[in-house]
């Protein structure tokens, strides 16, 4: 018995030693968290970055834009992914903890409004009509497509959209209803866009919204709806070019990363951001988002090097914002 | 009259048998459909590279190495934390503790804790381990949270296993002049060990599938590194699977199915070990 327990001890020690010796020395760590819409971009960058610098640990979490900012304000992360600009209360939380941040836009994303492919009566929708179905007053009242437009048949209307904790919801409500975080509550909400795809594709009177990338992967199951912003341009479909030029208004939105000012001094983070902005255009395209104009990436890098703190969107909406102009004003 | 009620009882008997049979068939049927669905989608994806690759945005290149390593290290620490506390608490409550109203209250509370939704443990872990103890979203914070989660299960099964030890054994031991400690450590504990181990393995198989509390305490999604120590950030297989199912590309669903197969196999393996230990132990002990 004595001998056996000694043998067990020796085996245990060997195991522990061999485990410990597997561990590598890392030059630095970068911890990133935040929006699930920006996640694919940052993940792609981190993956490519690792191929070049496998001694720098980059980890990415998905806590949602708001959840990410909460951690960011506590100083727990170096970079926060965000699908909307930081809000005033979040800025306040950062200031209280002495966290400064650099705001950098990394991509455009078009929010696709989709319906069931069997739906023949919808040719396009206006922003007014979208507002009519989504505003808080529509709750339990607007339940049929006939109420949206008189020429539509009396088909039950069912809505699918992002959950209230996501930046996508914030943006959509701000762009359509006119006030962020205000909408009817009786719609199918999910943080998982595949659930929304599934819902709209099996519901004849369904309408949903989510990032263009999810439509691109599910083209056969869904039908895209053109949006008429009421500016005389007629209905416009989200494509790479209409999203980039902002013609697909008001549902093209910029996606951001926020970098902690203290972390921006670290050579590891500098390396990562420089890599991010150099490769963003290619990678963003690859994963189905729309790259920003090259000039914006250049301006962003300058902004990062200069450590220009603060948000460009204080008291300003991202809906219809001209990024190049805004960034030049804010350099 | 009597004859009538006899046939009626027989009829009821037979009817109940078929109703029970059809419910069992339904439950098994659902399970079979699920398994066939998962296996047909994922089995072709499982190869050596799937185990060896890092997470990736390309579904075909993506693998579970770091998720699997994260999950196994998490379980390792969870067991180290929950095992001694759970077993000792169980032994104390059953062998040493006084059987008064307080003991009864504690017993009821422990049983209740075993039924608390896991996400509640996540919130507790977030406040206590991540924030107050400043452990961050580390392996050790995750392990402590999961440890709390499975602690009631271990305590309850330990108590049950000890309760099953016949009193005649204890009395015989005392009769030989053994002390309480000698009786507990040399007679009661070895006899109950089979049951205790089974309980532990079942508790661990529960911990393996947990996602909600880990997401709450801030387990990450993209972790291309194997954790180096207890203070390191981590991801686990269920989180990886969850992330894959939310991707727009259909190829990730195949990955998710393959990941689920691996997870199922590990759970089956653990349950198999539990049954094996139980059978072996009960054969071995003959007084």
């Amino acid at each position: 018995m004595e001998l056996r327990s000694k043998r067990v001890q020796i085996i245990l020690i060997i195991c522990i030693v061999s485990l410990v010796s597997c561990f590598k020395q890392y030059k630095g760590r970068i911890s990133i968290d935040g929006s699930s819409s920006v996640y694919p971009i940052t993940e792609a960058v981190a993956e490519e970055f690792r191929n070049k610098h496998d001694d720098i640990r980059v980890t990415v979490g998905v806590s949602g834009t708001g959840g990410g900012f909460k951690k960011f304000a506590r100083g727990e992360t170096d970079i926060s992914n965000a699908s909307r600009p930081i809000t005033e209360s979040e800025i306040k939380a950062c200031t209280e903890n002495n966290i400064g941040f650099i705001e950098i836009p990394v991509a455009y994303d078009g929010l696709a409004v989709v319906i069931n492919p069997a739906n023949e009566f919808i040719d396009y929708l206006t922003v007014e009509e979208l507002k009519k179905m989504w505003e808080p007053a529509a709750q339990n009242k607007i339940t049929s497509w006939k109420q949206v437009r008189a020429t539509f048949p009396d088909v039950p209307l069912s809505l699918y959209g992002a959950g209230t904790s996501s930046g996508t919801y914030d943006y959509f409500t701000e762009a359509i209803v006119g006030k962020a975080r205000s909408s009817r509550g009786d719609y199918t909400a999910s943080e998982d866009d595949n659930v929304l795809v599934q819902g709209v594709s099996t519901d004849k009177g369904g309408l949903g919204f989510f990032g263009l990338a999810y439509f691109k992967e599910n083209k056969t199951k869904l039908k895209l709806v053109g949006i008429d912003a009421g500016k005389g341009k007629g209905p416009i479909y989200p494509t790479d070019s209409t999203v980039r030029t902002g013609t697909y208004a008001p549902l093209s939105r910029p996606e951001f990363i926020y970098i902690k000012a203290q972390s921006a001094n670290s050579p590891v983070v500098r390396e990562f951001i420089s890599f991010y902005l150099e490769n963003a255009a290619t990678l963003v395209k690859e994963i189905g988002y729309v790259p920003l104009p090259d000039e914006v990436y250049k301006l962003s890098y300058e902004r990062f090097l200069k450590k220009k703190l603060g948000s460009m969107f204080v008291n300003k909406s991202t809906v219809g914002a001209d990024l190049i102009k805004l960034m030049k004003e804010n350099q | 009259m009597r004859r009538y009620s006899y046939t009626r009882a027989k009829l009821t008997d037979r009817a109940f048998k078929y109703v029970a049979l059809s419910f069992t068939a339904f439950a098994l049927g659902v399970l079979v459909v699920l398994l066939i669905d998962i296996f047909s989608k994922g089995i072709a994806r499982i190869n050596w590279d799937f185990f060896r690759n890092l997470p990736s945005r390309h579904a075909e290149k993506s693998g579970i190495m770091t998720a699997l390593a994260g999950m196994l290290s998490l379980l390792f620490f969870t067991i180290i934390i929950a095992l001694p506390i759970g077993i000792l608490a169980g032994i104390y409550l059953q062998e040493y503790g006084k059987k008064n109203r307080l003991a009864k209250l504690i017993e009821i509370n422990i049983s209740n804790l075993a039924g608390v939704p896991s996400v509640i443990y996540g919130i507790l872990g977030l406040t206590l381990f991540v924030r107050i103890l400043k452990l961050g979203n580390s392996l050790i914070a995750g392990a402590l949270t999961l440890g709390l989660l499975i602690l009631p299960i271990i305590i309850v099964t330990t108590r049950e296993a000890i309760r099953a030890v016949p009193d005649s054994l204890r009395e015989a031991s005392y009769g030989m002049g053994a002390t309480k400690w000698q009786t507990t450590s040399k007679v009661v504990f070895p006899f109950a060990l089979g049951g205790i181990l089974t309980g532990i393995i079942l508790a661990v198989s529960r911990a393996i599938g947990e996602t909600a509390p880990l997401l709450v305490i801030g387990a990450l999604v993209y972790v291309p590194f194997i954790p180096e120590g207890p203070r390191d950030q981590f991801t686990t297989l269920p989180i990886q699977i969850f992330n894959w199912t939310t991707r727009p590309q259909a190829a990730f669903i195949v990955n998710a199915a393959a990941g689920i197969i691996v997870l199922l196999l590990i759970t089956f393996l653990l349950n198999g070990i539990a049954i094996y230990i139980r059978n072996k132990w009960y054969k071995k002990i003959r007084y």
Side-chain angles (χ1 to χ4, degrees), chain A residues 133-207:
Chain A
M133 359 176 165
W134 282 97
E135 65 188 351
Q139 180 137 347
N140 297 329
K141 275 200 194 124
I142 309 291
T143 51
S144 159
W145 279 101
K146 204 174 168 54
Q147 292 164 282
V148 178
R149 196 189 293 171
T151 53
F152 287 160
D154 189 14
V155 173
L157 165 76
S158 38
L159 297 171
Y160 298 83
T164 53
S165 67
S166 86
T168 308
Y169 173 80
D170 296 354
Y171 184 85
F172 184 84
T173 45
E174 185 178 351
I176 296 298
V177 180
K179 188 164 171 262
R181 313 191 57 70
S182 133
S183 80
R184 69 195 292 173
D186 54 343
Y187 71 99
T188 308
S190 175
E191 311 294 346
D192 180 352
D193 291 337
N194 282 332
V195 173
L196 305 177
V197 170
Q198 196 72 25
V200 176
S201 67
T202 52
D203 185 340
K204 212 183 153 207
L207 175 138

Side-chain angles (χ1 to χ4, degrees), chain A residues 228-249:
Chain A
D228 185 350
K231 291 192 179 132
K233 286 184 198 154
I236 290 170
Y237 287 90
T239 61
D240 285 2
S241 72
T242 57
V243 169
R244 182 170 26 232
T245 52
T247 330
Y248 180 62

Side-chain angles (χ1 to χ4, degrees), chain B:
Chain B
M1 186 71 198
R2 212 172 150 191
R3 210 185 139 86
Y4 169 73
S5 80
Y6 175 69
T7 44
R8 209 181 127 138
K10 228 176 154 184
L11 256 173
T12 324
D13 191 36
R14 192 173 295 168
F16 179 74
K17 186 176 140 195
Y18 286 119
V19 168
L21 188 73
S22 62
F23 278 115
T24 317
F26 176 73
L28 283 178
V30 171
L31 185 68
V32 167
V33 168
L34 263 172
L35 285 178
I36 289 175
D37 184 45
I38 295 288
F39 273 83
S40 63
K41 273 183 192 151
I43 197 79
R45 182 69 185 75
I46 295 183
N47 50 31
W48 181 235
D49 279 341
F50 185 64
F51 286 97
R52 215 183 40 192
N53 281 359
L54 297 171
S56 164
R57 67 184 185 284
H58 303 291
E60 346 41 82
K61 277 201 239 157
S62 199
I64 56 169
M65 183 174 86
T66 52
L68 200 61
M71 187 176 82
L72 294 178
S73 357
L74 186 69
L75 286 182
F76 175 74
F77 287 114
T78 306
I79 293 170
I80 285 189
I81 292 161
L83 205 74
I85 303 178
I87 292 181
L88 290 178
I91 291 177
Y92 174 81
L93 288 174
Q94 193 60 34
E95 288 290 303
Y96 290 84
K98 289 200 180 68
K99 305 274 179 294
N100 52 21
R101 279 171 79 179
L102 182 69
K104 194 109 195 165
L105 195 72
I106 289 173
E107 188 181 340
I108 291 170
N109 272 305
I110 289 173
S111 307
N112 274 340
L113 278 180
V116 169
S118 58
V119 69
I120 308 281
Y121 285 96
I123 295 166
L124 175 71
L126 178 70
T127 319
L128 188 62
F129 304 128
V130 177
R131 299 266 154 80
I132 296 178
L133 295 180
K134 295 206 188 322
L135 292 172
N137 52 352
S138 60
L139 258 181
I140 194 73
L144 284 165
T145 310
L146 284 190
L148 280 186
L149 179 75
I150 63 170
L151 207 50
I153 307 173
I154 296 182
I155 295 177
V156 169
T157 47
T158 303
R159 290 191 66 173
E160 237 126 69
I162 288 176
R163 201 176 292 152
V165 177
D167 262 342
S168 55
L169 284 179
R170 290 191 187 85
E171 281 152 13
S173 175
Y174 290 136
M176 303 280 285
T179 61
K180 181 134 193 168
W181 163 244
Q182 284 168 329
T183 307
T184 308
S185 63
K186 298 261 161 66
V187 178
V188 177
F189 185 68
F191 192 90
L193 193 58
I196 296 176
L197 284 176
T198 315
I200 289 161
I201 291 170
L202 292 180
V204 170
S205 0
R206 173 170 178 193
I208 254 187
E210 282 301 342
T211 322
L214 296 177
L215 283 176
V216 173
I217 66 155
L220 298 168
V221 173
Y222 178 78
V223 182
F225 301 90
I226 285 177
E228 287 171 48
R231 295 300 303 271
D232 240 351
Q233 296 170 318
F234 68 101
T235 188
T236 73
L237 196 48
I239 293 177
Q240 177 88 73
I241 293 169
F242 177 64
N243 175 256
W244 277 336
T245 60
T246 62
R247 295 293 187 108
Q249 293 83 2
F252 279 108
I253 300 297
V254 176
N255 280 10
I260 291 170
I261 294 175
V262 174
L263 196 63
L264 274 179
L265 289 180
I266 295 175
T267 319
F268 276 142
L269 190 73
L270 282 176
N271 283 320
I273 293 173
I275 293 167
Y276 176 76
I277 289 176
R278 193 171 52 205
N279 291 344
K280 201 175 163 176
W281 204 266
Y282 286 146
K283 264 185 216 144
K284 218 170 102 185
I285 288 184
R286 284 219 180 86
Y287 285 102

Side-chain angles (χ1 to χ4, degrees), chain A residues 35-57:
Chain A
S35 163
S36 57
S37 335
V38 190
Y39 172 79
I41 308 173
T42 304
E43 182 204 42
V45 175
E47 188 185 346
E48 292 304 316
F49 185 70
R50 194 189 180 277
N51 292 337
K52 269 182 92 182
H53 305 272
D54 65 347
D55 51 350
I56 299 175
R57 286 182 55 138

